[in-house]
Amino acid sequence: MNLDDALHTFIAESLELLQQMEEALLHIEQAPDDPDTINAIFRAAHTIKGSAGLFGLDGIVAFTHVAESVLDLVRAGRLHFTEELAALFLQVCDHIGVLVKRAAEHREPEDSVRQNGTHLLEWLNGLLDDDPARDATAQPPATCPAETTANVERAADTVGTDHWHISLRFGQDLLRNGMDPLAFVRYLATLGRVQHIVTLTDSLPGADDMDPESCYLGFEIAFRSDADKATLEDVFEFVRDDSLIRILPPHSRTAEYQQLIQALPEDDMRLGEILVRCGTLTEAELAEVLRSQAHDVPAAPVGQLLVEQGIVHPPVVEAALKKQQQAKENRQAANNLIRVDAGKLDQLIDLIGELIIAGAGASLVAQRAGNGELMEATALLSRLVEEVRDSALTLRMVQIGSTFNRFQRVVRDVAKELGKDIRLDISGGETELDKTLVEKIGDPLTHLVRNAMDHGIEPAEARLARGKPAQGLLRLNAYHESGSIVIEVADDGGGLNRERILRKAIERSLVAEGAALSDAEILNLIFEPGFSTAEQISNLSGRGVGMDVVKRNIAALRGSIELDSTEGLGTTVRIRLPLTLAIIDGFLVGVGNAAYVVPQDLVVECIELDCEGGHDYLNLRGEVLPFIRLRNLFDIEGAPPRRQNVVIVQFGGLRAGLVVDQLMGEFQTVIKPLGKVFGRIRGIGGFTILGSGEVALILDVAGLIQHLASQRHEAHPHTFLKESL
Amino acid sequence: MAKTIMIVDDSASLRQVVSIALKGAGYDTVEACDGKDALSKLDGRKLHLIISDVNMPNMDGLSFVRAAKQLPAYKFTPVIMLTTEVSDAKKQEGQAAGAKAWVVKPFQPAQMLAAVSKLVLP
Amino acid sequence: MTHNPARLLSVAGELTIYTASEWKPRLLAPLLEGEHLELDLGAVQELDTAGLQLLLLAKKEARARGLTLLFCNHSPAALEAIELCGLAGFFGDPVLLSPTGP
C-alpha cells in the first residue's frame, strides 16, 4: 500500500460517491425535504472534499467546499431543493467528476473545465450571499486574541530571560476525556527544550475528596524553542476550552508577568518563587513585578480578573444527550462488501477453468484405465469443481440496479430536451448478471431508451387525444429466465406502424415487394442494417447509430433482441443475454483431427448430410438451408469420411448448417480469448482446452452466419437465408 | 510496542492516507468504515487513540463515540473527531459525548500527525 | 515518627486513568492504618497523569500522617513520567520525605 494506491482508491470512491449523489439528486425532486437524501448528497461532497485535501488536490477542495456550504444551508433548512437547485447540483456533480478524472490522469483541468467551474462557483456563492443568516454563521471562528510575540528589541521594562514561559492549569475532566497532560508535555518537548518544569499539586485535595479520575495538576514550564507563539498555542488546542493556558514569549514585559501571576490561582508569592525557580524571572525582576503590582491598588479580586480576561472555565455545557439516532439499517449494504480487484477475480475464474479442464482430463484417464474406484473419485471431484465454478461465477455477478438508476438522469435530461414529460419506472434492479455484461450493456440500453423517448412516446397533446395520461412512462425491467437474463425497455407510446415499416423496408430493398411476412418479421425489420432513415434521424437517436448496431452489440455478447409492439399502446424491446460470458455449454464436433466447439444454445438440431453433390445448401423438411463446410472453411487436409453430419445453428433469427465429420457431444467449457494475432480470424470466437489437453476452437456462429448472409445477399438477394421466427 | 490508533471514516482513501502517515511515524492502525464497523472492532484490544469522522452511514461518529465511552476498556480512550462542520451545536454535542479534539477536514497528513502526536506519541 | 517496618507494596501493570480508581484505596490503605509504606514501582508498565497524581496524593497523605512513603525500583516507564514532570527529586530523594511542606 502506498500513496498511489490510495489515490486510486480515492478516484474510485469519489466516482461512486458522485453516482450516489446523482441518484439522490434525481430522487430529491420527488421528496425535496427528505433528510436522508439531503444528507446523502451532503456526505458525498463532504467526503470527497475531506479526502481530496489529503492528496493536496486543492482545486477539488476549493470547489467542493463551496458546494458543501450551500448543501449545509439545505441541511439547516434555510434553502430548499427546488428543481433549479437540483439541476445546478447535477452540474456541480458532473464538474466534480471531471475534476476527479483530471486528478486521476495527473492533469490540470483544461480551460473550458475551469470556466465551467468558475461559472458554477459564481452561482453557488450567489446562493450563499443570499442567505440571510449567513453573517451569523459563516464568520471564521474568532481567533485567540493575538498577544504580542517576542519583541526583537528589548524594551526597558522587559525581563532578561530568553525562554518562553508556559503556565498550565487543566480542567478536571481532562483525564476522563482521554487527554493526558503528560502527553502535551511530551509533545512540547518535540518542539524545543523544556528548561525547567514545576508540577503544581496545590489543588490536589485530601484523600477523601480526591477523585482519582479528575485532573488536579498544573505545570509551570520554562521552555526554549524557536517555534512561534501560534505553534505553541496549538499544542494545547484540544484542551484550550476548559483549561487555563498562558504562554509568555521570551523577554515579555514586566506587566505581563504581573498579569500572569494574578491570573493564576495560586498564591502570588509562591508563583513568583516558582517563576524564579524556572529561571523565568530573576529575584530582582520578581521584586519589580510584585512592587508594581502593589501600586495597582485596589487590586481587583483574581476571580474578577479572570472573568474580565475571559479565561475562566466556560461553564460545562451539559448538552442534553439527544436520543441516539437509529442506525440506518437500510443503507446500502455496501459496507459489508469487500472490494476486490476485478483482475484477481478473472484470474480466479481462469484458474477454475483450468481446474475444470484438468478434472475432465482426469476423468478421461480414469475411463481409459477402466478403474471403477478412480472413476467414482473423479466424478465426485468434477461435481465439486463445478460447484466451485458456479460460486466463483456468482462473485462476478452484480445487480443491474445501478445501471438502471443511471438512466434516471438520461431520462430526465432527454425529456427536458424533447419537451416531453416522461417518468422512468424501474423494476428488477436486484437481478444479477455478469459484471462484464453490465459494462457492455450500457450503450445499447442508452440507445434503446433514447429511441423509446424520442420515437416511442408521443407528445403530450397526442397522448391526451388518445386518452392516455399526459406523462409518458418508460419502464426498465430485468428478470432471470431459464439461464438467461432478460432486460426489457418498454414505453407506453404510439407503438410501431407495421405498414410504414414494411413500406420503408421495400423502399430500401430489404424485402421483396409483395413478400408475405408475419407481424413479428415486419417488426424485426427495424433491426436490419440500413433501415434507419433520414426521416427518423433526430438530434437524439440519430447519432449515426441505428437499431442494427444495437442488435450487433447484443449479438456480440451472445445475446438476442426481440420486439413487441401494439399500435397505440406502446413498444417493448426485450434483450436476452447469457448470465456469463466466461463459460458456455458447448457442443463438441470434430473435423479431421481438429475439434471445434459450437455454443450449445445456438444448436437447433443435428442431421446426417445426405447430399453428395457439390451444393452448399440442403433441403431441411422443405426449407432451403445454406451450410458451411468447416473442412473447407479451415482448409483441413484429408478426405472427408463417408458420412458427414450437419449441425443446424440458429442465430438472430437466421439458420444455417455447419458440416462436420463427427458429433462428439455436449461439453461444458471455459472460453479463453484468442491473442491479438488471431483475434480477427473469421469464424473463431475463442478457444478452450479439452480434457485430453488438446485445444479446441470455439466457433463464432454469429460471425459465420452474418458472413454467410452477406455472401448470399450479394449473390442471390432475398433468397436462401430463411427467416425462422 | 507500537501504539495502536483506530481510524473510522467512510472514505477508504482517507483511511489509507492517514494510515500510511501514522504507520510511517511508527503507530499501528486499525481501520473501520463506519460507527457500526468500528464498534464491532472494539473487542478489548488496546487502543491508544480513535480518529473518527462525524458524518458516516450506518452509525455516525458521535453515536459511535458515545457507545465506545460506555465500554470500560475504551472509556478513557482519547478521540479526535474529523469534521468539516463548523457548527457549534455539533461540537458541543461532541464535547458532551467526550470528544474534545477536533480536526477540520480537509487536512494534510502532516497536520493529522501533529494532532495525533499531541495526544499520543508513537 | 514510628519505627515500625514499612509495608511493601508492588504496583504492577498500568497505573493510569483506567486503573486509578482501583489503585487509590490499595495505595492509601496502609497509610490509613498508620503503616510506613515502601512502593515498588518495578513492574509499572505505564504511568500517566492519573497515576502520577495518585503517587503524589499518597505522598501528601503520608506526610500529613507523619508516615514514611518510599518509592523504589522505578521501572523505565515510571521514571520517564516522573522525570518529565520534574518530580525526580520529589520521588527519589528520601530527604524530601521529611514532613515539612514545600
Side-chain angles (χ1 to χ4, degrees):
Chain A
M1 175 66 56
N2 60 29
L3 276 177
D4 263 1
D5 294 337
L7 183 64
H8 286 138
T9 310
F10 166 72
I11 307 286
E13 117 194 327
S14 298
L15 295 179
E16 198 172 296
L17 282 165
L18 287 170
Q19 200 186 320
Q20 285 170 13
M21 183 171 178
E22 184 178 303
E23 279 165 25
L25 282 168
L26 293 164
H27 181 66
I28 202 94
E29 286 184 8
Q30 277 110 57
D33 291 319
D34 177 41
D36 281 356
T37 311
I38 292 173
N39 209 18
I41 298 169
F42 177 83
R43 186 162 52 234
H46 165 91
T47 306
I48 292 171
K49 173 180 140 189
S51 306
L54 274 175
F55 295 99
L57 301 170
D58 297 337
I60 298 180
V61 173
F63 185 79
T64 43
H65 173 74
V66 181
E68 190 193 2
S69 305
V70 174
L71 288 169
D72 211 25
L73 292 183
V74 178
R75 286 211 309 175
R78 295 208 294 272
L79 199 63
H80 292 274
F81 257 116
T82 57
E83 198 174 321
E84 288 73 32
L85 192 61
L88 168 63
F89 266 92
L90 281 170
Q91 291 186 47
V92 166
C93 186
D94 287 347
H95 184 69
I96 298 173
V98 173
L99 294 179
V100 168
K101 281 174 191 148
R102 291 295 171 276
E105 296 156 0
H106 297 287
R107 264 182 29 195
E108 285 295 313
E110 52 272 34
D111 284 347
S112 60
V113 173
R114 264 184 245 197
Q115 276 164 17
N116 187 34
T118 315
H119 172 68
L120 289 171
L121 279 176
E122 276 169 20
W123 208 338
L124 291 169
N125 279 320
L127 291 169
L128 288 176
D129 290 340
D130 290 345
D131 179 44
R134 185 185 189 222
D135 290 341
T137 55
Q139 290 281 341
T143 44
C144 294
E147 291 170 51
T148 46
T149 41
N151 300 327
V152 181
E153 285 174 46
R154 278 191 59 193
D157 59 347
T158 60
V159 302
T161 178
D162 54 359
H163 59 236
W164 297 78
H165 189 86
I166 303 174
S167 303
L168 306 170
R169 303 292 182 274
F170 299 105
Q172 286 212 349
D173 283 330
L174 205 70
L175 305 178
R176 272 186 283 267
N177 288 329
M179 312 276 179
D180 184 357
L182 295 193
F184 296 110
V185 178
R186 283 194 191 102
Y187 181 70
L188 197 61
T190 66
L191 298 174
R193 206 155 73 83
V194 175
Q195 290 285 99
H196 199 94
I197 179 166
V198 174
T199 300
L200 292 166
T201 58
D202 296 57
S203 37
L204 192 65
D208 292 343
D209 300 327
M210 189 262 194
D211 177 344
E213 291 173 1
S214 287
C215 185
Y216 301 103
L217 300 187
F219 295 107
E220 292 292 323
I221 303 169
F223 186 62
R224 196 179 291 274
S225 171
D226 295 330
D228 59 18
K229 180 151 188 178
T231 307
L232 296 184
E233 277 177 344
D234 265 359
V235 172
F236 306 99
E237 62 172 330
F238 299 144
V239 292
R240 192 150 51 201
D241 286 353
D242 28 37
S243 299
L244 180 60
I245 316 280
R246 276 281 175 273
I247 301 175
L248 286 186
H251 311 298
S252 289
R253 297 204 327 273
T254 315
E256 290 176 88
Y257 291 98
Q258 182 192 330
Q259 277 170 13
L260 173 74
I261 289 173
Q262 282 181 350
L264 295 172
E266 291 83 5
D267 175 75
D268 290 357
M269 276 309 284
R270 177 164 146 66
L271 277 171
E273 277 167 25
I274 290 170
L275 290 179
V276 172
R277 256 170 70 193
C278 282
T280 300
L281 298 179
T282 60
E283 293 277 0
E285 282 164 348
L286 175 64
E288 171 65 25
V289 167
L290 292 178
R291 193 167 52 244
S292 64
Q293 184 175 359
H295 285 301
D296 296 343
V297 274
V302 172
Q304 193 181 324
L305 266 175
L306 288 179
V307 175
E308 280 167 10
Q309 297 175 13
I311 48 176
V312 283
H313 302 192
V316 179
V317 182
E318 290 291 340
L321 291 184
K322 285 178 189 164
K323 262 190 176 173
Q324 193 159 319
Q325 278 187 339
Q326 291 293 327
K328 291 163 197 153
E329 295 295 343
N330 59 349
R331 277 284 159 227
Q332 285 136 339
N335 292 302
N336 291 324
L337 300 181
I338 303 174
R339 212 183 277 272
V340 177
D341 183 354
K344 285 185 186 168
L345 218 52
D346 288 343
Q347 201 186 353
L348 175 69
I349 298 212
D350 222 38
L351 281 173
I352 290 172
E354 303 280 348
L355 198 58
I356 290 175
I357 290 161
S363 302
L364 206 68
V365 172
Q367 255 165 10
R368 278 192 201 142
N371 181 332
E373 236 176 303
L374 187 58
M375 276 158 75
E376 225 169 273
T378 52
L380 176 66
L381 200 64
S382 304
R383 213 193 66 226
L384 287 173
V385 167
E386 266 170 41
E387 276 176 34
V388 170
R389 180 208 57 209
D390 288 347
S391 63
L393 282 178
T394 60
L395 294 181
R396 287 186 57 90
M397 301 297 254
V398 294
Q399 296 194 348
I400 199 168
S402 59
T403 307
F404 275 0
N405 285 336
R406 227 170 284 159
F407 283 101
Q408 292 281 12
R409 174 79 179 269
V410 175
V411 169
R412 182 183 179 282
D413 289 354
V414 173
K416 278 201 177 146
E417 216 172 304
L418 292 170
K420 292 180 184 174
D421 184 10
I422 299 172
R423 182 163 65 88
L424 175 63
D425 196 25
I426 289 174
S427 53
E430 69 291 342
T431 313
E432 292 188 324
L433 78 167
D434 195 279
K435 183 167 163 38
T436 327
L437 283 171
V438 164
E439 286 159 5
K440 293 188 171 159
I441 197 67
D443 280 352
L445 268 187
T446 309
H447 190 80
L448 292 176
V449 165
R450 284 173 174 272
N451 210 52
M453 295 178 70
D454 196 5
H455 305 308
I457 293 172
E458 322 88 320
E461 313 83 66
R463 294 181 60 86
L464 290 171
R466 283 179 175 169
K468 295 195 221 180
Q471 188 183 47
L473 176 67
L474 189 70
R475 224 161 41 78
L476 284 174
N477 184 29
Y479 54 92
H480 281 154
E481 195 184 83
S482 58
S484 306
I485 179 173
V486 179
I487 301 169
E488 289 180 342
V489 181
D491 65 65
D492 69 344
L496 293 171
N497 183 319
R498 285 169 177 72
E499 272 167 42
R500 248 175 63 201
I501 293 174
L502 191 57
R503 206 169 56 235
K504 209 159 283 171
I506 291 168
E507 268 169 32
R508 306 200 163 253
S509 312
L510 294 170
V511 284
E513 183 98 48
L517 295 174
S518 71
D519 273 5
E521 283 169 323
I522 295 172
L523 289 180
N524 278 285
L525 284 171
I526 70 163
F527 293 118
E528 286 299 308
F531 181 84
S532 282
T533 63
E535 191 188 319
Q536 259 187 322
I537 291 175
S538 78
N539 181 28
L540 292 169
S541 47
R543 293 184 177 173
V545 184
M547 291 293 265
D548 58 318
V549 176
V550 174
K551 183 172 185 173
R552 210 178 319 136
N553 286 345
I554 302 288
L557 302 172
R558 296 196 285 112
S560 63
I561 188 165
E562 61 190 43
L563 201 135
D564 242 0
S565 182
T566 310
E567 211 172 337
L569 291 180
T571 305
T572 300
V573 180
R574 214 165 276 120
I575 297 172
R576 203 175 286 273
L577 292 168
L579 287 180
T580 174
L581 291 175
I583 291 182
I584 57 165
D585 285 317
F587 188 75
L588 198 61
V589 298
V591 183
N593 288 327
Y596 297 92
V597 178
V598 185
Q600 174 82 48
D601 48 354
L602 304 181
V603 174
V604 183
E605 61 182 312
C606 299
I607 55 169
E608 203 169 292
L609 184 67
D610 57 2
C611 105
E612 295 290 326
H615 323 284
D616 41 5
Y617 49 91
L618 59 83
N619 181 336
L620 178 66
R621 292 184 291 275
E623 235 180 60
V624 176
L625 203 68
F627 58 72
I628 299 173
R629 293 174 194 271
L630 293 189
R631 182 173 290 275
N632 298 348
L633 185 68
F634 296 121
D635 287 335
I636 292 167
E637 309 264 304
R642 213 157 46 79
R643 287 180 174 280
Q644 292 188 82
N645 291 291
V646 182
V647 180
I648 314 285
V649 290
Q650 171 180 334
F651 186 82
L654 301 176
R655 284 189 193 185
L658 303 172
V659 179
V660 303
D661 292 358
Q662 293 163 277
L663 304 176
M664 291 151 79
E666 291 174 24
F667 156 80
Q668 200 155 44
T669 188
V670 183
I671 301 178
K672 290 177 169 292
L674 290 167
K676 273 187 191 143
V677 181
F678 305 110
R680 287 160 187 250
I681 295 182
R682 180 185 299 143
I684 304 293
F687 76 101
T688 187
I689 298 169
L690 302 177
S692 58
E694 287 168 52
V695 169
L697 295 173
I698 298 170
L699 296 180
D700 170 20
V701 173
L704 283 176
I705 288 186
Q706 243 151 30
H707 173 62
L708 205 55
S710 57
Q711 266 189 348
R712 295 283 146 182
H713 206 76
E714 283 160 25
H716 320 272
H718 321 313
T719 55
F720 290 114
L721 266 189
K722 179 70 189 167
E723 300 251 6
S724 55
L725 285 163
Chain B
M1 208 179 67
K3 305 272 171 62
T4 307
I5 297 175
M6 175 181 261
I7 308 160
V8 192
D9 197 296
D10 50 339
S11 160
S13 64
L14 183 136
R15 294 199 305 270
Q16 284 173 11
V17 176
V18 172
S19 183
I20 290 167
L22 292 178
K23 280 181 175 158
Y27 299 94
D28 269 349
T29 59
V30 183
E31 295 180 30
C33 62
D34 59 43
K36 216 166 143 188
D37 184 28
L39 212 50
S40 76
K41 286 174 178 159
L42 295 184
D43 50 7
R45 70 180 94 195
K46 175 93 182 165
L47 287 183
H48 292 82
L49 177 71
I50 294 171
I51 300 172
S52 174
D53 191 17
V54 175
N55 200 325
M56 292 182 291
N58 287 321
M59 183 189 271
D60 67 79
L62 291 180
S63 302
F64 161 62
V65 169
R66 276 195 282 266
K69 297 270 171 188
Q70 298 299 312
L71 303 172
Y74 306 99
K75 201 172 160 190
F76 304 116
T77 307
V79 178
I80 293 180
M81 299 298 300
L82 304 180
T83 181
T84 53
E85 3 217 340
V86 282
S87 146
D88 269 355
K90 220 16 163 217
K91 208 157 172 171
Q92 279 185 6
E93 206 184 324
Q95 304 249 358
K100 294 287 177 178
W102 295 70
V103 168
V104 176
K105 282 185 182 180
F107 51 82
Q108 294 291 309
Q111 287 169 285
M112 175 50 69
L113 205 54
V116 167
S117 309
K118 288 168 198 172
L119 298 174
V120 184
L121 279 178
Chain C
M1 274 259 194
T2 61
H3 296 277
N4 298 335
R7 193 188 303 182
L8 237 169
L9 190 63
S10 292
V11 183
E14 53 178 79
L15 191 55
T16 64
I17 179 76
Y18 286 98
T19 57
S21 295
E22 195 184 308
W23 275 105
K24 183 186 166 195
R26 292 177 67 185
L27 288 181
L28 293 178
L31 302 172
L32 295 175
E33 288 162 23
E35 290 189 64
H36 300 295
L37 182 62
E38 195 173 328
L39 211 52
D40 185 339
L41 301 178
V44 172
Q45 283 162 359
E46 211 182 326
L47 185 64
D48 69 356
T49 305
L52 206 59
Q53 248 178 200
L54 273 189
L55 298 183
L56 289 165
L57 176 78
K59 215 19 201 7
K60 265 192 165 180
E61 207 59 33
R63 189 177 299 154
R65 291 163 190 270
L67 295 167
T68 314
L69 169 57
L70 213 69
F71 299 98
C72 64
N73 195 23
H74 307 65
S75 71
L79 214 55
E80 188 267 344
I82 289 168
E83 277 177 356
L84 186 70
C85 298
L87 292 167
F90 187 72
F91 282 122
D93 189 353
V95 173
L96 276 176
L97 291 176
S98 66
T100 53

